[in-house]
Amino acid sequence: MKALVWHGKKDIRCESVPDPRIEDGRDVIIKVSSCAICGSDLHLYDGFVPGMKSGDIMGHEFMGEVMEVGRDNKKLKVGDRIVVPFTIICGECDQCKRGNFSVCERTNRNKDLAEKAFGRTTAGLFGYTHLTGGYPGGQAEYVRVPFADAGPVKVPSSLSDEQVLFLTDIFPTGWQAAVQCDIEPTDTVAIWGAGPVGQMAIRSAILLGAKQVIAIDNVPERLSMARAGGAITINFDEESVVERIDELTDRKGPEKCIDAVGMEAHASRSIDSMVDRAKQAVMLESDRPHVLREMMYLCRPAGVLSVPGVYGGLVDKLPFGAAMNKGLTIRMGQTHVNRYIHDLLRMIEEGKIDPSFVITHTVPLDKGPDMYKAFRDKEDGCIKVVLKT
Amino acid sequence: MSHHLTGSHHGNHMDPQSLATGLGWFSIALGVAELVSPGSVTRTLGLRGTEPVVRAFGMREIVTGVGLLSARNPAPWLWARVAGDMLDIASAATAMNRHNPHRNAAGVAIASLIGVTLVDVMAARAAQAANHERSSHVYDYSDRSGMPRSPSMMRGAALDDDLTDVDHPFRDDRRGQSTERPGTAGWGAEVTAGA
Ligand SMILES: NC(=O)c1ccc[n+]([C@@H]2O[C@H](COP(=O)([O-])OP(=O)(O)OC[C@H]3O[C@@H](n4cnc5c(N)ncnc54)[C@H](O)[C@@H]3O)[C@@H](O)[C@H]2O)c1
Ligand SMILES: [Zn+2]
Ligand SMILES: [Zn+2]
């Protein structure tokens, strides 16, 4: 089959690889109909996530039709059309029972690696580092879905692939980012990053009743899409984030802040982000926490910082004193997709939201490598890429 | 809703971004050398006693280098390099006086500085052109709200109905959990946050 394969930094190729096979009774094999490229894939593409190996198959946002079912899987049958959450869950462990799906205790088959890196294991993830199990991903014609009687969700034929595909990741991710904010009707929610996750977070914050939503980025078309979703926008290349946020919040700061940028935050006009870039280059720190710093500084006391943006290792010079003394709450994590996926599917069915608004490019799978570059460099108005097999 | 990409864009011979990155590392390497052993530079050029100046130039190179590596838009940093090149040439020119036994070395240095300046000017021009290409095309996504009515009408729409009412796996665990952990926004409560 054809798949997008990681070979190193900025080196992803469309190649022929062996078809996947059932390995466990709970598995299914699906034929992928649509898959997408995520901002998290860019961290792998840019070589910032440790534990990748040449030959790894990329992709964790995918859906398709069940072709083959393992003998112990009583949930799915051949022909079912399913979306597959990017966090692999067993559905039975203590964490899964509490709904903490992204830290499922059983699905990471490289627990020892994860424990070395993070102290304790987290869930297995598709198409990601070997620290999270190294499971072959969904930017491919076929995928083996392990624990397939727990995670995947059937979707109705009345909805198109484009409408339901993002239930696998970015829609629940933006939603969880907003839910973690415990939004009240008087709240201002400031969202750093107007990429696909930021866009979903903007709509989620509106749907959850935020009074005012502010989006911060420096890519004009992303800011235009943010305004379409109801956000007031700040272009950090053109205006001072601090001054504008002060203006919009009576100098008190937003009650809730969301980091939808993660470890590759761009240098804005501040010196600290330049120092981070240099340190990261010489491996003195692995992540650039520019957005985290800005949020800790600007957030209103007793506020919440919600962090869907991915970090991989160590950060430097966090104003933790500001965060502590202001009594901020910090909530973060890979998304517990299965907590929200049914509710969100219902919202799509009811027509309250159609997540396909974010798609700017639809191309065949073998154009994938070019699209990684276009998405990363924001070429050609690119915000979200869907690949068709 | 989505538009198809017709072809890839490989118009430019020289990729301005990778050229800028190369020059960025070059700046840093040179800067570190000037900072760590300014003496070797001044000796070659026969400009003993000017070590502090060379150190300052080293700092300048490092700042420019980091700027080049970190900026999304390298153009201003490349022009900063060009300005720095001019300064370098001017200082090397002071070594060209008749009494300096190292006049030839200074001449070679000036010639290569001119070469470097040309590369910098080319890179800065290319980066500027690339910027222009990018900004000359404006993508308008102002119609992509993703919601059936205006955002102000959709405000709070997810709170209208009881989203916890659907029957699905894990639902029972979830109810139990949220009553066991009062006030911690167990996830039954989270979905209807603010309701
Ligand atoms: N928690 C999860 O489960 C989860 C799931 C999906 C994605 N993510 C993460 O969310 C983040 C965003 O993903 P995406 O798909 O939207 O990626 P993206 O790269 O398209 O979006 C990031 C956006 O941040 C902007 N940005 C960069 N520096 C900034 C700064 N200093 N201030 C404000 N904005 C800045 C960029 O211009 C870009 O538009 C990534 O870190 C990704 O890994 C997390
Ligand atoms: Zn993702
Ligand atoms: Zn589990």
Side-chain angles (χ1 to χ4, degrees):
Chain A
M1 65 162 182
K2 280 194 296 187
L4 300 190
V5 181
W6 189 92
H7 282 284
K9 197 175 161 179
K10 304 226 164 75
D11 185 3
I12 286 172
R13 305 175 205 161
C14 184
E15 285 176 347
S16 282
V17 296
D19 287 357
R21 293 220 191 102
I22 299 272
E23 292 174 21
D24 179 274
R26 297 173 71 177
D27 290 357
V28 301
I29 302 289
I30 68 165
K31 182 177 191 325
V32 175
S33 54
S34 303
C35 58
I37 307 179
C38 176
S40 300
D41 293 328
L42 294 180
H43 302 317
L44 309 178
Y45 179 68
D46 288 336
F48 283 118
V49 178
M52 290 295 289
K53 290 184 188 159
S54 178
D56 287 345
I57 299 177
M58 300 286 298
H60 59 265
E61 300 180 353
F62 59 95
M63 61 180 294
E65 188 187 327
V66 175
M67 306 298 286
E68 213 183 320
V69 182
R71 66 189 135 65
D72 303 323
N73 190 317
K74 306 285 178 258
K75 279 273 173 60
L76 296 175
K77 54 183 193 311
V78 172
D80 284 345
R81 178 170 174 251
I82 58 173
V83 289
V84 183
F86 78 99
T87 37
I88 306 172
I89 65 169
C90 76
E92 296 153 352
C93 71
D94 281 353
Q95 295 287 13
C96 281
K97 281 189 189 145
R98 290 181 154 76
N100 298 327
F101 298 110
S102 75
V103 290
C104 168
E105 293 167 343
R106 294 214 193 131
T107 51
N108 185 351
R109 54 185 180 179
N110 295 331
K111 282 199 181 66
D112 47 330
L113 279 181
E115 281 167 3
K116 280 202 188 95
F118 302 141
R120 317 273 178 229
T121 189
T122 57
L125 305 177
F126 287 101
Y128 215 60
T129 149
H130 287 261
L131 296 179
T132 55
Y135 289 98
Q139 288 162 10
E141 286 176 298
Y142 300 92
V143 192
R144 176 178 83 93
V145 180
F147 301 93
D149 51 357
V153 171
K154 288 185 226 177
V155 285
S157 56
S158 55
L159 297 173
S160 69
D161 275 21
E162 283 72 11
Q163 285 174 297
V164 292
L165 175 60
F166 303 135
L167 285 169
T168 59
D169 179 350
I170 56 167
F171 184 21
T173 296
W175 180 259
Q176 174 172 296
V179 166
Q180 285 183 155
C181 287
D182 292 333
I183 294 174
E184 309 216 12
T186 48
D187 279 350
T188 293
V189 181
I191 301 173
W192 274 255
V197 170
Q199 300 292 341
M200 296 297 163
I202 292 167
R203 274 79 181 164
S204 301
I206 293 280
L207 290 167
L208 287 167
K211 184 182 94 191
Q212 174 172 257
V213 177
I214 302 171
I216 302 143
D217 206 304
N218 68 340
V219 184
E221 63 270 16
R222 292 182 177 212
L223 292 172
S224 131
M225 190 183 271
R227 284 190 293 275
I232 297 168
T233 58
I234 302 177
N235 183 331
F236 68 77
D237 272 351
E238 289 165 4
E239 328 164 72
S240 151
V241 176
V242 179
E243 279 168 26
R244 284 280 284 138
I245 287 204
D246 273 357
E247 253 168 55
L248 290 164
T249 59
D250 278 337
R251 314 194 71 78
K252 289 185 169 178
E255 285 87 350
K256 311 291 158 68
C257 298
I258 295 176
D259 171 357
V261 179
M263 63 176 135
E264 291 185 65
H266 292 306
S268 53
R269 289 182 302 183
S270 63
I271 282 291
D272 76 298
S273 44
M274 228 150 82
V275 173
D276 282 326
R277 186 66 175 80
K279 280 195 182 167
Q280 199 176 40
V282 295
M283 290 165 97
L284 280 174
E285 69 179 337
S286 55
D287 303 8
R288 302 197 296 258
H290 178 64
V291 169
L292 286 178
R293 290 191 193 120
E294 215 158 52
M295 296 200 318
M296 284 183 174
Y297 183 73
L298 285 175
C299 189
R300 187 175 301 205
V304 177
L305 311 182
S306 170
V307 186
V310 164
Y311 290 83
L314 307 177
V315 299
D316 219 0
K317 302 257 182 320
L318 272 190
F320 215 75
M324 185 273 160
N325 286 287
K326 291 201 288 182
L328 303 184
T329 300
I330 308 177
R331 303 179 75 185
M332 48 197 159
Q334 301 282 358
T335 304
H336 307 299
V337 176
N338 284 87
R339 262 194 212 178
Y340 312 105
I341 193 165
H342 299 273
D343 294 338
L344 298 182
L345 174 57
R346 207 177 83 179
M347 280 195 1
I348 298 171
E349 282 185 282
E350 287 170 352
K352 286 188 173 156
I353 185 161
D354 178 352
S356 65
F357 76 87
V358 77
I359 303 171
T360 53
H361 292 66
T362 304
V363 300
L365 182 68
D366 57 12
K367 289 272 182 319
D370 289 343
M371 296 317 293
Y372 266 87
K373 187 173 180 307
F375 176 40
R376 179 192 182 277
D377 296 338
K378 287 101 182 165
E379 287 166 4
D380 196 29
C382 186
I383 298 183
K384 189 73 181 176
V385 179
V386 171
L387 303 168
K388 293 286 191 180
T389 54
Chain B
M1 166 114 330
S2 51
H3 76 258
H4 292 253
L5 195 74
T6 41
S8 52
H9 299 256
H10 294 302
N12 283 0
H13 306 293
M14 184 168 54
D15 170 13
Q17 192 66 50
S18 57
L19 190 55
T21 307
L23 287 168
W25 283 115
F26 176 72
S27 271
I28 289 177
L30 185 63
V32 168
E34 289 179 330
L35 210 57
V36 176
S37 69
S40 59
V41 179
T42 54
R43 260 195 311 280
T44 321
L45 297 179
L47 285 175
R48 262 167 229 257
T50 58
E51 284 78 7
V53 179
V54 172
R55 275 221 182 83
F57 282 11
M59 274 313 290
R60 185 203 75 212
E61 288 288 352
I62 291 175
V63 170
T64 320
V66 170
L68 274 170
L69 291 179
S70 58
R72 240 175 83 79
N73 171 17
W77 294 100
L78 288 164
W79 286 119
R81 265 192 63 87
V82 172
D85 294 340
M86 298 307 193
L87 258 177
D88 288 345
I89 292 176
S91 347
T94 63
M96 285 301 281
N97 68 65
R98 225 179 302 162
H99 310 295
N100 185 348
H102 296 273
R103 241 174 59 208
N104 287 345
V108 171
I110 290 178
S112 51
L113 279 170
I114 290 174
V116 170
T117 310
L118 286 177
V119 173
D120 285 335
V121 170
M122 261 160 60
R125 286 228 174 112
Q128 228 167 18
N131 284 348
H132 188 74
E133 206 176 301
R134 203 175 303 140
S135 61
S136 62
H137 201 117
V138 180
Y139 294 84
D140 178 14
Y141 296 139
S142 58
D143 58 343
R144 290 174 173 241
S145 96
M147 295 177 288
R149 290 185 297 280
S150 74
S152 56
M153 292 178 75
M154 293 305 290
R155 179 164 290 118
L159 307 170
D160 292 350
D161 54 11
D162 182 10
L163 282 171
T164 57
D165 222 24
V166 208
D167 201 29
H168 66 71
F170 313 117
R171 181 64 70 186
D172 293 340
D173 305 321
R174 167 176 166 172
R175 285 233 168 88
Q177 201 52 43
S178 56
T179 50
E180 268 171 48
R181 295 187 299 177
T184 57
W187 53 295
E190 285 174 345
V191 179
T192 50

